[in-house]
Amino acid sequence: MSGIFNSSIGRKIAMALSAFFLMIFLLQHFVINSLSVINPDTFNEVSHFMGTNWLIQYIMQPVLIFGVVFHFIMGFILEIKNRRARQISYAKNNGAANSTWMSRNMIYSGMVILAFIVLHFIDFWFPEINTKYIQGDMSGMHNGEFRYFHELQEKFLSPARVAAYVIAFVFLALHLLHGFTSAFQSMGSTAGRKKAMQNFGKAYAIIIPLGFIIIALYHHLNHH
Amino acid sequence: MNLTLKIWRQKDSNAKGQMVDYKVTDISEHMSFLEMMDVLNEQLINSGEEPVAFDHDCREGICGMCSMYINGEAHGPDRGVTTCQLHMRMFKDGDTITIEPWRATAFPVIKDLVVDRTAFERIQQAGGYISVNTSGNTQDANALPISKHAADEAMDAATCIGCGACVATCKNSSAMLFVGAKVSQYALLPQGQVEAADRVRNMVAQMDLEGFGNCTNTGACEVECPKGISLDNIARMNRELIKASVSD
C-alpha cells in the first residue's frame, strides 16, 4: 500500500481525499455561518460549542489544519512536477479549444484561496486562539453576553474586507467548479462524469460560495 | 490558397531551435495537411534548402506516426483525426499556421517536428501485454465467454494508436490517457486478469520514471485524441492501481 503514494496517481488520490475532506468542512462552515443570518442566538451557542468542545478543538481542528496545509503543499508539488514535464512551452497554444479555464488554472484559484485563508486566520482564528488559550478566557462572553455574533458584525464593517472576501469566494467557486468532479475522477470513480453529479457539483460550487458572499454582505449592510 | 507557415526548425536534438516563416502558394483545399507539407518540402529542396523533417507513415490515420501541434492544438483544429487526415479546407486563404513539435520533457525533439516517443514503448514493455504460451497449443480466444459490453469497451481502449497527442495537448504533459487505455484494454478482459496488478504497477512506475506530468483532469486529452479514447480509462487505471495496492 505504501508504494501507491509515491506514484503520480497516488499523489492525485491524496489530493482528492484531502479535497473531499475540505469540501465537507466547507459545507459545515457554511451551515454554521448561515445561523448568523437566521438566528444570532443559535449562532452564538453553536460558535461557543465549536470553540470550546475538546473533540472539535483538539482533534478536528488540527486534522483540518493538516488537511488544508497538505492540500496546498501537494498542489504546489504537483504544479512544480507538471511544469518540469514541459520545459519548452508552445509558441502558440489554444487551451480554450479543449478544456475549461477553471481546470487549467487551479493553481491560481488555489493561491487566491490560500491568501484568503491567511487573511481569514488573521481576522478570526488568531484573535480566537489569543482570547482562549493565551489570555485563558474560555467563557465566550463579553459585557455579559456572548461575543461571537458581535465580533462577526464588527469584522464586516470594513468594505475593503468584505470586498476581499467576495473576491476570494468567487475564486473558491471557480476552484470548486473543476475540483468537485475532478476529485471523483482521481479516486477512480466515473461518477464525476455523470450528468447528475456534474450538475450537483456545479450547484455545490456556486451555492456555497454565493451563500458565503450573501452572509458577508448581509452583515456589512445590517450591522447594529 | 496562399498560406504563411511558422514552423519550428531544429537541426538536431542538441541544437537550439527557432520558429521560421515560410510561404506556400496554390494549396488546394482538398490536400491533406501532410500533402501541404510535401509541397513546402519540394519547394525547399528545389531552392537548395533543408526540407522540414516530420514523422508520417500510413497517412490514413492508423499508424500513430504523424504528430504536429498546429495552431495550438494537437493534430490541428479538426476533431477525431490525425494530422494526416486533417484537410486544408479547415484553413482559409491568407491564414498563418503555426506548426510545432509535441512538447514534453519525455518526448525530446530529434529534428524539426520529429520527437522521440520511445518512452511510450518502454511503458508498453513494462506491462502492456499478456503472457501467453504460443507454442502451438494456444486456446481459442472464443472459448472464454466475454460480455459484448466488456469486449466493446476493451476494443475502444485498444484503438489507441500511441501518437502522443494526449501528452502534447495536456498542460501537464501527462501520459495518463495513453497508459489508462493500455491498462484498460487488458483490465476489461479475462485474459488480462492474471497479470493485472503487476501490469498497472509497472506501467505507472515506468510512466513516472519517463518524466510525464500528473493528470489534473482537464479533459483536454480526450477532446484532442484522434481515436476518441475516453477519460473513463484514466479512472479505470486509478481504480486498478488502488486495487493492486490494497491486494499487496
Side-chain angles (χ1 to χ4, degrees):
Chain A
M1 191 71 200
S2 64
I4 189 171
F5 288 109
N6 292 324
S7 74
S8 52
I9 294 174
R11 283 189 288 270
K12 287 301 301 168
I13 292 169
M15 199 67 184
L17 284 172
S18 55
F20 277 124
F21 173 70
L22 294 175
M23 287 192 288
I24 292 166
F25 161 74
L26 204 62
L27 184 66
Q28 170 258 312
H29 198 328
F30 174 67
V31 169
I32 295 178
N33 282 22
S34 308
L35 293 174
S36 71
V37 174
I38 300 163
N39 188 333
D41 291 337
T42 317
F43 174 75
N44 273 329
E45 279 167 34
V46 175
S47 299
H48 189 64
F49 170 80
M50 296 298 283
T52 51
N53 181 277
W54 70 269
L55 184 69
I56 307 285
Q57 287 294 300
Y58 301 124
I59 309 288
M60 294 309 287
Q61 186 164 257
V63 169
L64 173 64
I65 291 171
F66 174 79
V68 173
V69 171
F70 180 87
H71 192 73
F72 78 72
I73 287 180
M74 193 54 108
F76 282 124
I77 290 173
L78 286 168
E79 180 68 19
I80 291 165
K81 280 183 176 289
N82 290 344
R83 281 180 187 229
R84 266 192 215 140
R86 176 169 297 141
Q87 277 146 356
I88 302 169
S89 47
Y90 289 109
K92 185 170 182 183
N93 189 35
N94 187 3
N98 48 44
S99 53
T100 63
W101 186 92
M102 286 76 82
S103 72
R104 295 194 306 277
N105 293 283
M106 290 297 273
I107 190 73
Y108 299 111
S109 54
M111 279 158 70
V112 174
I113 297 164
L114 178 60
F116 164 75
I117 292 172
V118 172
L119 173 69
H120 194 51
F121 265 50
I122 294 168
D123 282 349
F124 291 97
W125 197 75
F126 289 127
E128 195 66 15
I129 293 296
N130 178 43
T131 308
K132 288 189 302 199
Y133 301 114
I134 295 172
Q135 294 177 16
D137 178 7
M138 299 294 284
S139 70
M141 310 293 270
H142 183 70
N143 292 337
E145 54 182 34
F146 272 131
R147 58 184 167 81
Y148 307 105
F149 184 73
H150 285 301
E151 284 176 358
L152 173 74
Q153 286 214 314
E154 253 170 56
K155 289 287 183 223
F156 288 111
L157 280 176
S158 152
R161 184 180 281 114
V162 173
Y165 274 51
V166 169
I167 291 167
F169 291 136
V170 170
F171 279 90
L172 176 65
L174 295 172
H175 201 72
L176 288 169
L177 275 169
H178 175 68
F180 187 94
T181 47
S182 171
F184 286 95
Q185 173 80 7
S186 294
M187 291 300 299
S189 165
T190 52
R193 311 249 297 141
K194 304 276 187 295
K195 199 77 206 150
M197 189 57 92
Q198 284 182 341
N199 288 338
F200 182 76
K202 267 184 206 157
Y204 179 95
I206 292 167
I207 291 169
I208 304 260
L210 187 65
F212 278 121
I213 289 175
I214 291 169
I215 294 167
L217 290 175
Y218 174 85
H219 290 301
H220 179 67
L221 300 171
N222 286 285
H223 61 91
H224 304 293
Chain B
M1 54 180 114
N2 300 329
L3 302 163
T4 303
L5 307 173
K6 288 179 175 297
I7 303 178
W8 181 262
R9 300 303 310 261
Q10 185 173 334
K11 200 164 166 280
D12 56 49
S13 55
N14 298 317
K16 198 174 174 302
Q18 58 175 348
M19 300 299 288
V20 179
D21 290 5
Y22 298 98
K23 298 258 184 226
V24 281
T25 51
D26 295 328
I27 297 296
S28 158
E29 62 171 15
H30 303 302
M31 280 182 183
S32 77
F33 200 84
L34 295 189
E35 285 166 341
M36 183 277 293
M37 291 298 290
D38 293 337
V39 170
L40 169 70
N41 275 348
E42 272 178 28
Q43 202 175 292
L44 291 174
I45 291 165
N46 287 340
S47 61
E49 287 178 66
E50 180 82 8
V52 178
F54 62 88
D55 264 330
H56 62 104
D57 192 6
C58 75
R59 296 205 176 199
E60 51 190 16
I62 197 63
C63 73
M65 278 309 282
C66 55
S67 50
M68 290 182 195
Y69 210 73
I70 302 160
N71 275 351
E73 284 186 80
H75 296 302
D78 209 356
R79 292 285 170 260
V81 295
T82 52
T83 302
C84 64
Q85 298 169 295
L86 179 67
H87 281 89
M88 293 314 293
R89 68 181 74 103
M90 294 297 291
F91 302 91
K92 292 193 305 289
D93 183 38
D95 272 2
T96 298
I97 306 174
T98 307
I99 309 166
E100 296 172 83
W102 285 173
R103 293 286 186 204
T105 309
F107 286 167
V109 173
I110 297 169
K111 186 178 181 180
D112 296 337
L113 303 172
V114 180
V115 298
D116 178 357
R117 284 171 284 180
T118 51
F120 269 11
E121 283 162 33
R122 290 187 290 274
I123 294 172
Q124 275 289 76
Q125 286 159 8
Y129 52 81
I130 55 167
S131 304
V132 181
N133 187 341
T134 53
S135 60
N137 299 320
T138 317
Q139 189 188 10
D140 189 310
N142 289 322
L144 285 170
I146 299 166
S147 76
K148 174 82 167 72
H149 181 68
D152 284 350
E153 277 199 302
M155 187 61 205
D156 286 347
T159 55
C160 166
I161 53 176
C163 66
C166 47
V167 173
T169 200
C170 175
K171 80 176 193 60
N172 311 313
S173 305
S174 169
M176 288 198 193
L177 193 68
F178 167 76
V179 183
K182 297 301 172 194
V183 164
S184 288
Q185 74 181 69
Y186 298 110
L188 285 157
L189 299 176
Q191 291 93 333
Q193 300 308 311
V194 183
E195 294 157 303
D198 283 341
R199 174 179 308 113
V200 68
R201 260 196 302 255
N202 295 340
M203 290 182 83
V204 168
Q206 189 63 37
M207 169 180 79
D208 291 347
L209 207 62
E210 298 289 350
F212 292 104
N214 302 270
C215 171
T216 54
N217 309 322
T218 67
C221 53
E222 181 185 55
V223 176
E224 299 290 351
C225 174
K227 297 296 153 188
I229 302 292
S230 163
L231 222 52
D232 289 354
N233 291 298
I234 299 181
R236 187 178 293 104
M237 169 177 66
N238 295 2
R239 277 201 303 279
E240 286 290 312
L241 189 69
I242 295 169
K243 227 161 56 182
S245 306
V246 172
S247 66
D248 267 353

